[in-house]
Amino acid sequence: MEYRIGVIRGDGIGPEIIEEAVKVLDAAAHRFGHKFNYSELLLGGASIDAHGVPLTDEALADAESCDAVIMGSIGGDTGTSPWYRLEPSRRPEAGLLRMRKELNLFANLRPAYLFDELKAACPIKEELIGSEGFDMVIVRELTGGLYFGERHTSEVDGVMTAVDTLEYNADEIRRTAVKAFEIAMKRDKKITSVDKANVLDSSRLWRRTVEEVAKDYPEVSLEHMLVDNCAMQLVSEPSQFDVILTENMFGDILSDEASMITGSIGMLSSASLNDTSFGLYEPSHGSAPDIAGKGIANPLATILSAAMMLKYSLNLDKEARCIEAAVKKALKAGYRTPDIARKGEKGIGTSEMGNLVAEALSTCSV
Ligand code: IPM
Ligand code: MG
């Protein structure tokens, strides 16, 4: 089959890690007889440099016309990059938020699991992790809440005041909950819905709506957890979680925490989905400007995001599993980029890791 894939190289280490994901996608295409046609799109700092805005209408329309989009990471050093001297609506992140909103990418999936091969990198004591390790996916609402509520800053009686609004309607909650329940059905059938219902009205509506959705999924067990407790449980007993369902801001914070306990944020993929098969796929980590251009960034999160893209948007399950198996093979053979290297080891470079995964793919049979 032939597919059209949007490619956003992005900023910082983005171009380096995307290069490897494309390499691996091409190896998968070759192995299974598909053709991926790539359409290069600009988003973030690269788009500001070229066009003065973080996302042009043309790039947005182009993204929408693709079967799926894969992205490196965007943004720069907020302290030193000139992009951060622009007003907030013209900065790199504003382009990403606009793309999420305009393409209606309301469900953000962020898996966090412990690779057997990387157990030593997990910062949590072995007795707390348990022998099974952990394997969870965070389903984060992505187009509502504090990120998109009304905001303004004003001066009242000589005192600066800033307002951000946290607003959700039941439809926004419901559609995200449905995605989470559908995913739970294919996993261990357990959902932890995370909110702050002891304080926030929006959380009380969240809870009520999630309970309504749960009625359609009697096989899935649902529990509610307050966000502060969840932050604690993630580091004290991570194996209790299967699917975590939560709103935009809580999901942003908890997904960083969840990724840290896997040992390296350089390993985690993510998908942002709407109610069609289209999706935007990107690593969970940022653009790491401090190591950009050095050829040492870990491309595995982006490669695994490419696998998610094959699975969720292109319906190429076997191909996706082959990429995952190829990543495992490289890790099992002991190859590590510096971020996951064992003490005293130097590790291999970005493109070397990409080559290893691509090579492993050529013989994969799952
Ligand atoms: C993320 C990032 C973004 C977010 C930023 C870059 C706007 O932290 O994808 O988690 O907060 O959603
Ligand atoms: Mg974040």
Side-chain angles (χ1 to χ4, degrees):
M1 286 272 286
E2 202 162 327
Y3 303 90
R4 192 152 160 267
I5 297 172
V7 175
I8 299 170
R9 293 185 183 268
D11 310 317
I13 57 171
E16 298 161 62
I17 53 183
I18 277 288
E19 192 66 31
E20 303 315 309
V22 168
K23 190 187 280 174
V24 169
L25 280 169
D26 282 340
H30 187 252
R31 166 83 182 73
F32 292 98
H34 303 299
K35 187 164 193 312
F36 297 135
N37 299 312
Y38 302 106
S39 190
E40 299 271 345
L41 311 170
L42 291 182
L43 175 75
S47 175
I48 297 175
D49 291 346
H51 303 295
V53 289
L55 176 66
T56 61
D57 294 345
E58 292 73 26
L60 185 63
D62 209 3
E64 200 165 11
S65 71
C66 291
D67 294 307
V69 174
I70 182 131
M71 184 179 119
S73 32
I74 58 138
D77 185 321
T78 49
T80 57
S81 164
W83 300 327
Y84 296 92
R85 290 199 285 274
L86 299 167
E87 57 172 288
S89 66
R90 300 182 81 85
R91 293 179 193 167
E93 288 73 12
L96 179 58
L97 295 181
R98 179 171 175 226
M99 180 168 286
R100 287 175 179 170
K101 189 71 175 177
E102 298 224 12
L103 301 184
N104 200 24
L105 303 171
F106 61 83
N108 182 219
L109 278 41
R110 296 191 165 180
Y113 50 89
L114 194 58
F115 277 83
D116 267 354
E117 295 78 10
L118 298 182
K119 269 194 169 147
C122 174
I124 297 178
K125 283 204 194 96
E126 224 175 315
E127 61 259 37
L128 294 178
I129 312 170
S131 55
E132 296 284 284
F134 55 85
D135 178 351
M136 68 184 96
V137 55
I138 297 183
V139 179
R140 167 189 175 195
E141 199 290 328
L142 202 61
T143 53
L146 272 173
Y147 277 66
F148 294 95
E150 243 181 70
R151 68 178 99 254
H152 56 88
T153 306
S154 57
E155 195 175 328
V156 181
D157 297 333
V159 181
M160 295 296 288
T161 301
V163 178
D164 294 287
T165 324
L166 170 45
E167 186 176 332
Y168 270 110
N169 68 46
D171 291 343
E172 291 171 316
I173 301 169
R174 191 173 301 108
R175 62 186 186 176
T176 312
V178 167
K179 282 265 192 224
F181 277 88
E182 291 292 335
I183 287 163
M185 285 297 287
K186 293 188 192 149
R187 297 176 45 102
D188 289 343
K189 300 192 172 66
K190 181 181 175 195
I191 291 193
T192 307
S193 176
V194 175
D195 60 37
K196 188 73 184 172
N198 53 347
V199 178
L200 303 175
D201 261 15
S202 55
S203 281
R204 287 187 273 269
L205 179 63
W206 184 276
R207 215 173 252 220
R208 189 172 352 132
T209 312
V210 171
E211 270 174 9
E212 276 167 26
V213 173
K215 289 188 191 132
D216 294 334
Y217 299 88
E219 284 174 59
V220 177
S221 78
L222 168 67
E223 65 171 5
H224 301 282
M225 192 177 276
L226 296 174
V227 62
D228 44 354
N229 185 24
C230 182
M232 185 179 78
Q233 299 287 335
L234 270 173
V235 289
S236 59
E237 199 198 329
S239 60
Q240 70 182 285
F241 297 109
D242 178 27
V243 176
I244 291 180
L245 163 63
T246 192
E247 62 98 60
N248 203 345
M249 180 71 138
F250 297 158
D252 179 44
I253 298 166
L254 293 178
S255 61
D256 264 26
E257 189 186 357
S259 65
M260 189 58 219
I261 60 173
T262 67
S264 172
I265 195 166
M267 298 295 301
L268 297 176
S269 53
S270 84
S272 302
L273 308 173
N274 58 24
D275 43 24
T276 72
S277 61
F278 179 87
L280 171 67
Y281 299 84
E282 54 175 311
S284 275
H285 59 73
S287 61
D290 53 323
I291 58 162
K294 295 191 176 154
I296 56 169
N298 185 346
L300 294 179
T302 318
I303 289 171
L304 291 167
S305 301
M308 278 188 107
M309 175 175 81
L310 298 188
K311 181 170 162 189
Y312 287 100
S313 285
L314 309 186
N315 229 340
L316 300 174
D317 247 46
K318 186 166 36 100
E319 291 78 348
R321 274 185 282 125
C322 259
I323 293 182
E324 286 162 8
V327 167
K328 277 197 176 237
K329 191 173 171 194
L331 292 173
K332 227 186 199 104
Y335 295 108
R336 307 274 189 274
T337 43
D339 58 312
I340 50 175
R342 281 162 293 232
K343 253 206 173 96
E345 281 179 21
K346 192 166 140 274
I348 61 170
T350 310
S351 66
E352 217 175 331
M353 184 60 103
N355 289 343
L356 284 161
V357 177
E359 269 159 35
L361 248 173
S362 63
T363 56
C364 161
S365 57
V366 292

